[in-house]
Structure formats: structure tokens, C-alpha cells
Amino acid sequence: MVKNTGLILTFLWVVLLGVIVLSCCIGAVKMTVPELLSILSYKTGLSESVNFQPQQAAVLLNIRLPRVMLGVLIGAGLGVSGAAIQGLFRNPLAEPGLIGISSGATLFAVLMIVLEVKVFKMLTGAIGFYALSLAAFVGACITTMVVYSLSMRNGKTVITTLLLSGIAINALTGAFTGLMTYVATDEQLRTITFWNLGSLGGASWATVTGILPFILIPVAGLPFIAKSLNVLALGDAQALHMGIDVVLLKRIIMVLATIAVGASVAVAGLIGFIGLIVPHILRMGFSADHRLVIPGSAIMGAALLSLADLIARTMVSPAELPIGILTAMIGTPVFLYIIITERNKNKV
């Protein structure tokens, strides 16, 4: 284990805290750090002094803070899931989309948007705005279950088959999503496009509390299997000889990653590259030890997505740039750098 793991994680926590403070202070309604602290102290009952404007408090508590918290949760979920999936595949270029989580969520969301069947109308009438998120989450779970079932052989998960099944299911769900997009109306097309680009614009305290358990469970649970992932990196046979239940380990990773990514996509749409580049940055900068990479990816993913959202909502103010576009613009050069680096290593 890296000797300075505690120091590195502390540094990442400080960075995350700094990003959160910046995100809370910067926007159409600006506020200073003392004003931010005054609002929080007053609302929590720690202080009775009022050193802020009522408009600042209203914007912070009802709009900005829920959005920041949602970005932190989704970034942490995507980051830690990406690190776990890369450990599962033993490949730093792997990411949750490989096993169909994102594509399944997208397909069911598009079906919900385009098809006006009775069951969807009933669902929308029962839970309103959250019907689309629920449909996306169910789609992510179903798709992952199908991929996982196809990869089973004699009670064991075959990673190669898992990867190939994921590619096949991604292609199939992509085809159906394209078909639904083809028959969609102009209004439905705008909704689908907004979904595919990703956004935290729909953040509210209800959204934050709704997604909280689906993120906290994977973020809290995956670090406990970090040591087992280190052993798995030596190969399935070696892990079995060292007493690791490889089948159970793979199932845990699949379930927890699906929960985190499915919930994230259900709430914010498609946000790419966070689960891919964050774990790899930690590996390149510090260590490949999963006892650092897993928790570090959660913290760094939260900081990176929060920072990306801050840029997205202020870059073209008063309009808002979809966060998926920004993460792709940041992530693509990093991804290409990773590919070039891996290619040069193979040459050596």
C-alpha cells in the first residue's frame, strides 16, 4: 500500500471542499465565503447574526446547494464505479458503459419519452417527474442482469464473455434507441437530446435525498473489496488460491456499479468519461493500489464533476452548457493521452 495514502486522500478531500465552496459562491447571484458561512451558520442555528442578503440565502439553499450536492454524489458514484469496473476487467481503459449500464438506462428513458403506452402513463401519473428516472434505473438494472447472465458458464463469470456480451447488448440497445429517436416528435427529440447530453439542472433536495442511498452504498461498500481487487489483478486462479471468492467478488462489483451508475444516469442523463479518466489519473499520478484508487476515485470524481458543472453553468451565462459536452471535451484529450501512453509502453 502507498505509504502516503492518508496524505493523498486528505489532499483530495481539501480539493473537493475547495470546489464545493467555489461552486456555492460563484453564479448569477454571487456571495463571498464569509457570507456563505454566515448563511449556513444561521440556518443550522449555530449563529444568530445575519451577514447576508435574503436573496443569497434563497438561491444557495434552494438552487445552488442541492445542485452542488447532486454533482458530488453523481461524481463520486461514477468515479468509484469506474475504478471497480477497471479492477474487474483488469484494464485501465474499461468503464461502466462496457457492461451496458448506460445504454440500458438510455433505452428505457427513450422508451418512456416516446411511447405513450398505458403503463408509462400510469407511472407518470403516480410519481410525476421521477417516472423517467425510475424507468432509466430499471433499464440499467435489467440490461446489466442480461449481460451478466450471458457471461455465466458453469456457475462462473467469464470476463471475456462479459465484455463481448456487453458490446453486443450495447449495440442492440443503441439500435432500439435509434429507432425510437427516428419515430419521435420534435418535442420528444429535444427531450431525448437533453437527456443524452447530461445535466444537473433538475437538481432539488428531493432528487438529492432520492439518489443518496444508491450512491452511499457503493461508495461505502466498494473500498472494503479493494484488497481483493489487488489480488484479482494477479488472475482468477491466483485469487482462488489465496482464498478469494472470485464469483462473489465479481457479483458484488457488478451489483454496486450498476446501482451507482444506474442511479446517476437516471437523475442526470449521460455524463461520460468521469468513470474512465479519474481512476487512471490516480494510477498514473500515485499508485495502482485499489486501497487508494477506489476511495480516491470517489473523492476526485466528485470534485471533477462539481468543477465541470460550475464551468458549464457559468461559461455561457445566462445560458447553460450541457455538462456531458464539457466532460467529453475534457475527457477525450485525456483518453487519447492514455491510449498513446499505453501504446508507447507496449513498444518498449
Side-chain angles (χ1 to χ4, degrees):
M1 189 175 182
V2 185
K3 294 181 180 180
N4 296 325
T5 296
L7 184 61
I8 295 169
L9 293 178
T10 301
F11 170 73
L12 292 176
W13 275 114
V14 172
V15 172
L16 174 58
L17 181 61
V19 172
I20 290 174
V21 171
L22 282 176
S23 299
C24 289
C25 292
I26 298 175
V29 177
K30 293 181 173 59
M31 63 188 73
T32 62
V33 175
E35 288 171 336
L36 170 64
L37 296 177
S38 179
I39 295 171
L40 296 177
S41 298
Y42 179 78
K43 293 299 180 179
T44 54
L46 297 177
S47 174
E48 295 183 358
S49 61
V50 179
N51 300 319
F52 55 87
Q53 299 297 322
Q55 183 186 23
Q56 291 176 320
V59 169
L60 175 66
L61 298 176
N62 299 320
I63 299 175
R64 200 168 293 171
L65 195 55
R67 180 164 181 157
V68 172
M69 291 298 100
L70 185 65
V72 168
L73 289 174
I74 291 176
L78 294 177
V80 77
S81 299
I85 291 295
Q86 288 176 9
L88 173 65
F89 283 98
R90 298 190 285 273
N91 189 332
L93 298 181
E95 55 98 21
L98 279 176
I99 55 177
I101 303 175
S102 300
S103 61
T106 302
L107 174 60
F108 273 65
V110 171
L111 289 173
M112 184 81 181
I113 294 169
V114 177
L115 298 181
E116 298 180 353
V117 295
K118 186 176 180 180
V119 64
F120 288 161
K121 290 182 178 179
M122 291 174 59
L123 187 61
T124 303
I127 59 177
F129 170 78
Y130 299 101
L132 185 61
S133 298
L134 179 60
F137 181 73
V138 171
C141 294
I142 290 176
T143 307
T144 307
M145 287 174 59
V146 171
V147 172
Y148 182 76
S149 298
L150 292 173
S151 68
M152 293 295 292
R153 183 184 301 168
N154 298 325
K156 297 181 180 180
T157 307
V158 182
I159 293 297
T160 304
T161 308
L162 182 67
L163 175 61
L164 294 175
S165 300
I167 293 173
I169 294 298
N170 277 329
L172 183 62
T173 54
F176 278 106
T177 301
L179 177 62
M180 292 296 101
T181 303
Y182 177 76
V183 301
T185 63
D186 290 341
E187 182 179 354
Q188 291 169 342
L189 279 174
R190 285 193 293 270
T191 304
I192 293 171
T193 301
F194 179 78
W195 173 270
N196 285 327
L197 294 178
S199 174
L200 300 179
S204 65
W205 285 119
T207 307
V208 172
T209 54
I211 196 179
L212 185 62
F214 297 99
I215 300 298
L216 282 185
I217 293 174
V219 169
L222 285 171
F224 286 100
I225 63 171
K227 189 175 180 179
S228 298
L229 277 174
N230 286 339
V231 178
L232 187 65
L234 303 174
D236 288 7
Q238 185 68 25
L240 284 170
H241 286 307
M242 296 184 69
I244 303 297
D245 190 336
V246 175
V247 175
L248 179 61
L249 177 63
K250 292 177 180 179
R251 288 177 179 174
I252 291 174
I253 294 173
M254 292 282 290
V255 170
L256 293 182
T258 300
I259 291 174
V261 177
S264 300
V265 175
V267 170
L270 292 177
I271 300 176
F273 288 99
I274 298 295
L276 174 63
I277 64 174
V278 167
H280 200 80
I281 290 174
L282 287 171
R283 289 189 182 95
M284 289 191 302
F286 303 107
S287 169
D289 191 330
H290 286 93
R291 289 173 289 182
L292 169 66
V293 174
I294 294 287
S297 295
I299 303 169
M300 189 174 179
L304 183 60
L305 188 61
S306 299
L307 182 61
D309 182 59
L310 172 61
I311 297 172
R313 62 181 172 82
T314 56
M315 178 182 289
V316 292
S317 182
E320 180 179 320
L321 186 69
I323 194 171
I325 294 177
L326 192 60
T327 55
M329 292 173 64
I330 297 172
T332 301
V334 177
F335 183 65
L336 292 175
Y337 173 76
I338 293 171
I339 293 176
I340 293 171
T341 302
E342 292 294 324
R343 184 188 63 184
N344 292 337
K345 285 181 179 179
N346 293 332
K347 285 183 178 180
V348 176

